[in-house]
Amino acid sequence: MNATDATTTDATTAAAGTTGGGPGRPSVAVVTGASSGIGRATAIALAQAGHTVAIGYRTDRAAARRTAALAGGRTMLLPLDLADPAAAARAVDGAAVHLGGLDILVNCAGINRRSPVLDESLADWERILTVDLTGPFACAQAAARRMVRQGRGGRIVNVTSVHEFTPILGGAAYCAAKGGLGELTKVLALELAPYGITVNAVSPGETATRMNGVPDDGDVARLARPAIPVGRPGRATEVAAAIVHLTGPDAAYTTGISLTVDGGLSLMSAIANQRDAAHEQPAHQHRTRSVNAPAATTGTTDTRTTDTRTTATRTSDTRTTTVETTDTRANPWL
């Protein structure tokens, strides 16, 4: 790492950060995977909040420079490849040396692929686990060691996925890695809390990024997603806002959580089955039901209405009760 990798607009007067940078000294953040998508949005938001930001990238230096230009403030380009966890950890520590400390680490870099279990190769499995789990562990360990030595606390945020909790077809390696990173987050939170270091995860749902096939300038409001309650994918800036919150002073009492930002997608797991079950019921079961009751004692007519819209009509011979048990038209999900 050399000095030409640093870009500064006003290094001497950069605003102090929010996690213990100290008076007159900006706090320092490292964001992996910051050349695009959620990582870029996070690096920009942290820089605009006054932090010095090391912009981690794997190979696309031009894209990392674009992030730096959009961020403004004091930034540094940080080549870092999670496929080599030991080298990635050294890069994180080197950035701390170069920038005078480390207060925030955001583990955002990762890869995503799909393969059926029966077709998955060990090489591809190990690649996903290395980049999405072992690499973030190595970076978090390096950052935590640095933060402990500094003695002023810190923040670590791991970007997982809704697939930390929810399986997806073809996602054996990816789900295993993200689930592991979620559990790692909890262990780190337990062990590092005595040092004033909080560790949390943010688990995004579908987010409109290049990795998901959406250009950076795409309008997510035009992308219909009927299976997501809010009706669209998320914006990278919306996920970044949650990450930045967890790095700030208002989150000092929050540690060991996974904050899901998915537009309600993870709430939908039972809806398809609910819809199918409702449609498979015979009409008389989910529309109306008639029941013959014993004879009434009088010949009067009594019409009653309850919260289930039950109407009872008494005659001298029988009482017929009509119950509207389910009105599928009232629920747009059915």
Side-chain angles (χ1 to χ4, degrees):
M1 187 182 318
N2 55 61
T4 61
D5 282 336
T7 59
T8 306
T9 56
D10 190 2
T12 59
T13 60
T18 59
T19 63
R25 192 191 71 77
S27 62
V28 176
V30 169
V31 182
T32 71
S35 58
S36 66
I38 295 170
R40 169 177 282 176
T42 300
I44 291 170
L46 287 171
Q48 292 177 348
H51 303 281
T52 297
V53 181
I55 297 169
Y57 69 98
R58 186 171 67 90
T59 58
D60 195 343
R61 185 178 178 83
R65 284 189 176 277
R66 174 65 175 157
T67 301
L70 292 170
R74 189 177 187 222
T75 60
M76 168 186 170
L77 303 186
L78 180 65
L80 179 151
D81 187 356
L82 293 183
D84 185 345
R90 290 193 297 270
V92 168
D93 202 54
V97 171
H98 188 82
L99 295 173
L102 180 59
D103 303 286
I104 298 167
L105 170 69
V106 179
N107 266 318
C108 193
I111 54 177
N112 189 357
R113 63 181 291 278
R114 298 284 180 267
S115 177
V117 169
L118 296 179
D119 298 333
E120 183 69 280
S121 70
L122 284 179
D124 286 334
W125 167 275
E126 290 172 354
R127 178 170 174 263
I128 295 290
L129 269 290
T130 297
V131 173
D132 288 358
L133 179 57
T134 307
F137 164 75
C139 291
Q141 184 185 58
R145 287 171 172 170
R146 171 70 56 173
M147 291 171 183
V148 169
R149 288 197 299 269
Q150 291 171 169
R152 59 175 184 256
R155 302 281 190 268
I156 298 174
V157 181
N158 296 318
V159 179
T160 60
S161 165
V162 289
H163 302 303
E164 172 190 345
F165 312 104
T166 306
I168 189 170
L169 291 172
Y174 185 74
C175 294
K178 292 301 185 178
L181 187 55
E183 287 303 303
L184 172 63
T185 296
K186 297 172 186 176
V187 175
L188 292 172
L190 277 174
E191 295 190 8
L192 298 178
Y195 302 99
I197 302 168
T198 66
V199 188
N200 293 288
V202 170
S203 55
E206 183 189 357
T207 308
T209 63
R210 280 190 294 168
M211 188 172 79
N212 290 326
V214 180
D216 292 336
D217 58 353
D219 181 6
V220 301
R222 302 177 67 133
L223 301 175
R225 294 294 186 270
I228 299 176
V230 302
R232 62 169 176 83
R235 298 180 177 90
T237 53
E238 292 170 324
V239 181
I243 295 169
V244 172
H245 165 71
L246 291 172
T247 69
D250 291 340
Y253 198 58
T254 303
T255 196
I257 70 161
S258 286
L259 177 58
T260 299
V261 183
D262 70 349
L265 175 63
S266 57
L267 305 176
M268 297 294 292
S269 60
I271 298 303
N273 184 68
Q274 181 184 20
R275 183 189 301 116
D276 292 343
H279 288 171
E280 289 174 2
Q281 288 180 1
H284 71 277
Q285 288 186 8
H286 72 269
R287 291 296 183 188
T288 60
R289 180 174 71 242
S290 294
V291 180
N292 288 331
T297 57
T298 69
T300 61
T301 299
D302 181 11
T303 301
R304 308 174 192 174
T305 301
T306 70
D307 59 355
T308 57
R309 288 177 290 173
T310 300
T311 303
T313 303
R314 278 194 241 176
T315 67
S316 59
D317 297 322
T318 62
R319 183 176 64 201
T320 300
T321 303
T322 302
V323 183
E324 190 171 352
T325 58
T326 304
D327 184 355
T328 58
R329 294 165 299 180
N331 189 335
W333 298 112
L334 298 179

